[in-house]
Amino acid sequence: MALVVQKYGGSSLESAERIRAVAERVVATKKQGNDVVVVCSAMGDTTDELLDLAAQVNPAPPAREMDMLLSAGERISNSLVAMAIASFGAEVASFTGSQAGVLTTERHGNARIVDVTPGRVQDALDEGKIAIVAGFQGVNRDSRDVTTLGRGGSDTTAVALAAALKADVCEIYSDVDGVYSADPRIVPDAQKIEKLCFEEMLELAAAGSKILVLRSVEYARAFNVPMRVRSSYSNDEGTLITGSMEDIPVEAAVLTGVATDKSEAKVSILGIPDVPGEAAKAFRALAEAEINIDMVIQNISSVEDNTTDITFTCPTADGQRAMELLSKLQETNNWENVIYDDQIGKVSLVGAGMKSHPGVTADFAEALRDAGINIEMFTTSEIRITAVVREADLDNATRAIHDRFELGGDEAAQVYAGTGR
Amino acid sequence: MALVVQKYGGSSLESAERIRAVAERVVATKKQGNDVVVVCSAMGDTTDELLDLAAQVNPAPPAREMDMLLSAGERISNSLVAMAIASFGAEVASFTGSQAGVLTTERHGNARIVDVTPGRVQDALDEGKIAIVAGFQGVNRDSRDVTTLGRGGSDTTAVALAAALKADVCEIYSDVDGVYSADPRIVPDAQKIEKLCFEEMLELAAAGSKILVLRSVEYARAFNVPMRVRSSYSNDEGTLITGSMEDIPVEAAVLTGVATDKSEAKVSILGIPDVPGEAAKAFRALAEAEINIDMVIQNISSVEDNTTDITFTCPTADGQRAMELLSKLQETNNWENVIYDDQIGKVSLVGAGMKSHPGVTADFAEALRDAGINIEMFTTSEIRITAVVREADLDNATRAIHDRFELGGDEAAQVYAGTGR
C-alpha cells in the first residue's frame, strides 16, 4: 500500500462533469489499495472572476483581504470534489490549508510554506478516509491570517504535504500527459519523457517550461519527493521526476529536452563606468522593485573611456517599471544609454548528459548557424545551454536544436553522443 | 462613542456597486465616532449557485462538505466589503466565523451558536479598525469543522457578536426600511412601526413575518441586545426592537401589527381513539421526522364511539412527508381518516396592548365576520390572536383586521381602546 498525493489543476475541474471524472479517478486509486490525499486548485475561471470583482470594488485592495477572497475559490472546488467522491461511496473529508496545518510566512499574496503539520489529514487517512486539502493557501504563523502562495501555489501545497506525510509519490494532474522534449505546438515530433531527474526539471522550469513551477520542483528535490506529471484525461503513466543527476550512470545520461520562453525582454545599459559599485546601483534598484533579472552579461571594458555595457533579461511584464527606474539612474549617473527590446525569445537545451558529453555547446551553436539564426546572448549552466534569439526565430531555433540532438521520433529520448564540446 | 454591529443581507451586496454603497455607509458610521463591526451574508445569488453546483456533483452531499462549500460565499462577500471599505481610507480587517470565535454545536447545516469568543475582533476594534465578520458560519467545538447556521444564520451571527462584544445596537440592513403594521403589498396604508418590544417581534416572526428570523430575535431578547431593522437604500431610522413588554406602561401599550403566512398546510386526523397515548403516536412520528407543527387543536370526544379529531398546521414543504407518515399510522391504528389541505392562510394580530385591553378577540372575530370570511381554526397567546382562513380570503382578512384596529394611516399606531374582550 502506497500513500499517493494527487494534485488537480483548475482546467481539470472546470465543470461538474470534470469534477466527477476527477472523483472517479481518486476513488479508483483508493480502491487499488492506496491511501490518497487530493489537493485541488480553484475551478476553471473562478480566480479570474474573483480578481475581477475585487478590481471593481478597489483597484488596489489590501493584500490580506485579497488572500481571504481568493482562498474561497479552493474551498469551493475542494468541497465539491469531496462531495463527488462521497457519491462514489468512499469516505472523505476536506480541509482548508489552515486545517491541514499549512503554515506560511507572513507575506500575503506570495507566502512561502515554512512548515506543514498535517495531523488532521493523517487522522483522516488513519480512519480510512480520502483527505482533500485546499491548495494555494495556508495560515501565517504569527498573525493566524489566511495567506496564499502565489503562482503554482497548489503544486507547492501538494509537494509540501507529500513531504510532511512521507508520501510515495506526488502526482500533478493537468491537461497535458507529461513533460515533452519540446513544446509539441512548435515541434510536431516532440516526444514524452518517461523519467527525468530533479535538476533537469529545475532547469527546464527555469528555462520557460510551464508544466511545473520552479518552487514546487525545488521543494520536491529538497525533500526527495518523487513527482509524476499526468493528464486527468487519460491513463497514461506520464513523466516521473525523481532522483539526482549524480545518480544517473554516465552512459544513461541523456539530453532531456528543449525549453522555450517568449515572456522576457532584453535590457541593455550602455556606457556605464567600469568601477566597483556602478552596476550594483542598477541591480539594487531592480531588486528593490522586486524585478527578477536573468542572463546578466557584462562585456569587457572599452579601453578608451573605461566604460562597459551590461545586458540582462527580465519579464516583459516588468519591462516598463525596469525602464523607468533605469532611466532615472541613467540621468543621475550619466550613463550613455538604456535600451529596451521585447522582441526576443529564449531557447534552452537541458540534460544531465551534457556534463559528461563534450561538444554539446558547439553542436548547439552550429544548429542555429545552419538554420540561419543569430545568437544575441548566450549562457550555460552545468546541464543547460541557453541562447537569446529574435522572437520571430524562436520556433525555428527550437526545431533546429530538437532535430540536431535527435530528441524527436517515436522511440525514447536518445543517449547523446556528440563530439567536441 | 457607541459600538455598532451592522448586518447586511445578500440583496444589499448583489453587485460591486452595492458593495461600495454599503462600504460608504459603514465608513460614515465609523466617522461619526462609533466602533463598527460588520456582518455580511453571501452576495445575491451566490448561495443558490453553490447549491446548484453541489446538486450536479452529488444529489445527496455530505453535510460537512456542504458547510465547507457554502461558507465560501460569506468569505467572498466579506473580503470584498473589506476591500471597498479600505478604498474609502479606513482601516479594516475581515475574519471568518472561526477566526471571530463563533463556536457552534456539532450539527452541520443547522448548527446553533454555543459561545462567541471574539478576541481577535476586539483586538481589531482596539486598534481602530473596522472589523468584518463572515456571517452564517462558525466552527464546531469538538471536531473543529466549519459549520453553517441555517436560515437567518447571518442575523444570528450579528446578534451573537453584538451580545459578546456588549454592543449598543445590532442593525439589520436589507431592502425594507423597517417592520410594518402589515405587509404593504397587501395593505396599502400599512405603516412603519418606530419601536416594538422583543415579545411582539417574536410573535410577529412566529406568525409569518419574514423580516427577522425567530432565532435571532430570541437571541437578542436573551442577551438584551437592541436591534434595529433598516434599509441599506435609505437613511431612514427604521424600526427599533428593544425592551420587554413588562416595561411598557399599560396606557402606552398598543396593537403592533398584522402578520400573514401562506406557507403552511392544515392536517386533520379524524376518528382517533380518545385514550392516552394515541395522539402522541402521531406527534412523535412527526417530531422524529423533524416536522414542526403549530396550532394543534383537539375537539371534544364523540360520545358514541369515544373517538376525537385532531387538527394541526405544518409547513407545506413538509406536507407530503407528514401525510406519508400519518397514512401508515392510520392503517396500523385504524384511525378513520387523515385529511390534507394546503389552501389555507394564517392571519395574526400581535401587540402588547392586547393583554391589558379586553375585547380584542371579539373585535377580531367580528372583523372577519363583517368581511364575510369564515374562521377555520383559532388560537391565542397572551399578545397574539391567530386565525386560519381560506388562502383566497387571506388578503381580505388582513385588510379587515388592519382597518378594524386602526393600524394604518400616516400617524403612529394607535393605542387600542376596544371594549369587551
Side-chain angles (χ1 to χ4, degrees), chain A residues 270-345:
Chain A
L270 306 182
I272 183 170
D274 193 8
V275 295
E278 200 69 14
K281 287 181 191 168
F283 297 137
R284 172 56 58 199
L286 295 168
E288 280 174 359
E290 302 202 3
I291 296 170
N292 282 321
I293 62 173
D294 190 20
M295 287 192 76
V296 183
I297 292 177
Q298 180 176 333
N299 288 351
I300 54 165
S301 294
S302 147
V303 179
E304 277 171 42
D305 56 1
N306 196 35
T307 64
T308 186
D309 302 337
I310 295 173
T311 300
F312 62 87
T313 59
C314 72
T316 306
D318 293 330
Q320 198 186 337
R321 284 166 57 227
M323 286 302 288
E324 282 166 11
L325 289 168
L326 294 175
S327 298
K328 276 184 208 153
L329 285 172
Q330 180 198 345
E331 246 172 75
T332 50
N333 294 281
N334 276 316
W335 300 338
E336 192 185 311
N337 204 359
V338 182
I339 298 172
Y340 180 73
D341 178 0
D342 61 9
Q343 297 301 306
I344 60 154

Side-chain angles (χ1 to χ4, degrees), chain B residues 63-305:
Chain B
R64 179 185 181 281
E65 301 305 327
M66 192 57 117
D67 279 357
M68 180 76 92
L69 178 72
L70 294 181
S71 65
E74 276 75 18
R75 277 199 166 195
I76 292 170
S77 59
N78 280 261
S79 50
L80 288 171
V81 169
M83 290 176 190
I85 287 172
S87 80
F88 289 106
E91 292 278 308
V92 64
S94 74
F95 300 98
T96 64
S98 167
Q99 288 174 337
V102 179
L103 303 176
T104 74
T105 55
E106 294 295 300
R107 184 163 171 200
H108 287 288
N110 199 15
R112 303 278 142 176
I113 294 176
V114 292
D115 198 8
V116 183
T117 53
R120 294 189 67 178
V121 176
Q122 186 65 60
D123 288 349
L125 294 176
D126 292 347
E127 291 163 13
K129 289 178 182 163
I130 293 167
I132 317 285
V133 177
F136 180 64
Q137 62 186 257
V139 61
N140 55 21
R141 216 156 23 171
D142 295 338
S143 315
R144 291 171 300 147
D145 284 329
V146 176
T147 51
T148 63
L149 305 177
R151 204 172 85 76
S154 290
D155 286 16
T156 311
T157 301
V159 172
L161 263 175
L165 293 165
K166 303 192 193 316
D168 296 281
V169 65
C170 179
E171 299 182 335
I172 307 288
Y173 286 88
S174 67
D175 48 7
V176 292
D177 64 357
V179 181
Y180 275 73
S181 60
D183 184 338
R185 289 166 301 185
I186 300 173
V187 183
D189 70 337
Q191 66 177 343
K192 187 162 60 69
I193 302 163
E194 272 180 39
K195 184 177 163 183
L196 64 171
C197 67
F198 287 121
E199 290 88 345
E200 289 171 316
M201 192 65 234
L202 282 175
E203 291 282 5
L204 284 172
S209 164
K210 298 281 180 292
I211 201 150
L212 287 175
V213 284
L214 197 55
R215 57 195 287 209
S216 69
V217 185
E218 282 169 345
Y219 208 110
R221 182 194 186 194
F223 290 89
N224 202 20
V225 177
M227 297 178 83
R228 191 179 282 282
V229 175
R230 301 183 68 175
S231 164
S232 62
Y233 292 83
S234 81
N235 284 317
D236 191 288
E237 284 293 306
T239 298
L240 180 65
I241 300 140
T242 190
S244 163
M245 68 175 184
E246 311 300 335
D247 306 329
I248 304 175
V250 169
E251 58 273 26
V254 297
L255 292 177
T256 307
V258 183
T260 51
D261 190 353
K262 294 185 181 179
S263 70
E264 301 223 316
K266 185 176 78 168
V267 178
S268 299
I269 306 172
L270 306 183
I272 184 169
D274 194 8
V275 294
E278 201 68 13
K281 287 180 191 169
F283 297 139
R284 172 57 57 199
L286 295 167
E288 280 173 0
E290 302 201 1
I291 296 170
N292 282 320
I293 62 173
D294 190 20
M295 287 192 76
V296 183
I297 292 176
Q298 180 177 333
N299 286 352
I300 53 164
S301 294
S302 147
V303 179
E304 276 172 43
D305 56 0

Side-chain angles (χ1 to χ4, degrees), chain A residues 15-17 19-20 43 50 53-59 61-62 64-73 75-88 92-96 99 120 123 137 139 143-146, chain B residues 15-17 19-20 43 50 53-59 61-62 64-73 75-88 92-96 99 120 123 137 139 143-146:
Chain A
S15 66
E17 190 193 349
I19 285 173
R20 287 186 58 81
M43 288 174 73
L50 293 175
L53 270 172
Q56 287 178 54
V57 300
N58 186 343
R64 180 185 181 281
E65 301 305 328
M66 191 57 116
D67 279 357
M68 180 77 92
L69 178 71
L70 293 181
S71 65
R75 277 200 165 197
I76 292 170
S77 59
N78 279 262
S79 51
L80 288 171
V81 169
M83 290 176 190
I85 287 173
S87 80
F88 289 106
V92 63
S94 74
F95 300 98
T96 64
Q99 289 174 336
R120 296 189 66 177
D123 289 348
Q137 61 185 257
V139 60
S143 316
R144 291 170 299 146
D145 284 329
V146 176
Chain B
S15 66
E17 189 192 352
I19 285 173
R20 287 186 59 81
M43 288 174 74
L50 293 175
L53 270 174
Q56 286 179 53
V57 299
N58 186 342
R64 179 185 181 281
E65 301 305 327
M66 192 57 117
D67 279 357
M68 180 76 92
L69 178 72
L70 294 181
S71 65
R75 277 199 166 195
I76 292 170
S77 59
N78 280 261
S79 50
L80 288 171
V81 169
M83 290 176 190
I85 287 172
S87 80
F88 289 106
V92 64
S94 74
F95 300 98
T96 64
Q99 288 174 337
R120 294 189 67 178
D123 288 349
Q137 62 186 257
V139 61
S143 315
R144 291 171 300 147
D145 284 329
V146 176

Side-chain angles (χ1 to χ4, degrees), chain A residues 158-420:
Chain A
V159 172
L161 264 174
L165 294 164
K166 303 194 195 316
D168 296 282
V169 64
C170 179
E171 299 181 336
I172 307 288
Y173 286 86
S174 68
D175 48 8
V176 292
D177 64 358
V179 181
Y180 274 73
S181 59
D183 185 336
R185 289 167 299 186
I186 300 174
V187 182
D189 70 338
Q191 64 177 342
K192 187 162 60 68
I193 302 162
E194 272 180 36
K195 183 177 163 185
L196 65 171
C197 67
F198 287 122
E199 290 87 346
E200 289 171 316
M201 192 65 235
L202 281 174
E203 290 284 6
L204 284 172
S209 163
K210 297 281 182 291
I211 201 149
L212 288 174
V213 284
L214 197 56
R215 57 196 288 210
S216 68
V217 185
E218 283 169 345
Y219 208 110
R221 181 192 186 196
F223 290 90
N224 202 21
V225 177
M227 298 178 82
R228 192 178 281 283
V229 175
R230 301 184 68 175
S231 164
S232 62
Y233 292 84
S234 81
N235 284 316
D236 192 288
E237 283 294 304
T239 298
L240 180 66
I241 299 140
T242 189
S244 163
M245 67 176 184
E246 311 299 336
D247 306 328
I248 304 175
V250 169
E251 59 273 27
V254 296
L255 292 178
T256 307
V258 184
T260 50
D261 189 354
K262 293 186 180 180
S263 70
E264 301 226 313
K266 186 175 76 169
V267 178
S268 299
I269 307 172
L270 306 182
I272 183 170
D274 193 8
V275 295
E278 200 69 14
K281 287 181 191 168
F283 297 137
R284 172 56 58 199
L286 295 168
E288 280 174 359
E290 302 202 3
I291 296 170
N292 282 321
I293 62 173
D294 190 20
M295 287 192 76
V296 183
I297 292 177
Q298 180 176 333
N299 288 351
I300 54 165
S301 294
S302 147
V303 179
E304 277 171 42
D305 56 1
N306 196 35
T307 64
T308 186
D309 302 337
I310 295 173
T311 300
F312 62 87
T313 59
C314 72
T316 306
D318 293 330
Q320 198 186 337
R321 284 166 57 227
M323 286 302 288
E324 282 166 11
L325 289 168
L326 294 175
S327 298
K328 276 184 208 153
L329 285 172
Q330 180 198 345
E331 246 172 75
T332 50
N333 294 281
N334 276 316
W335 300 338
E336 192 185 311
N337 204 359
V338 182
I339 298 172
Y340 180 73
D341 178 0
D342 61 9
Q343 297 301 306
I344 60 154
K346 271 165 58 175
V347 58
S348 304
L349 176 67
V350 171
M354 206 176 285
K355 70 185 166 88
S356 51
H357 290 91
V360 178
T361 308
D363 283 357
F364 183 100
E366 284 171 16
L368 295 180
R369 178 202 63 192
D370 294 348
I373 294 164
N374 187 44
I375 296 175
E376 303 193 2
M377 294 171 79
F378 200 79
T379 62
T380 63
S381 80
E382 199 180 8
I383 61 168
R384 176 183 49 80
I385 302 170
T386 300
V388 166
V389 299
R390 288 287 89 202
E391 188 173 326
D393 290 335
L394 186 64
D395 291 0
N396 280 337
T398 306
R399 283 187 286 265
I401 294 162
H402 196 265
D403 283 354
R404 178 63 169 240
F405 293 98
E406 296 172 0
L407 297 173
D410 292 338
E411 326 144 317
Q414 298 296 307
V415 172
Y416 177 69
T419 52

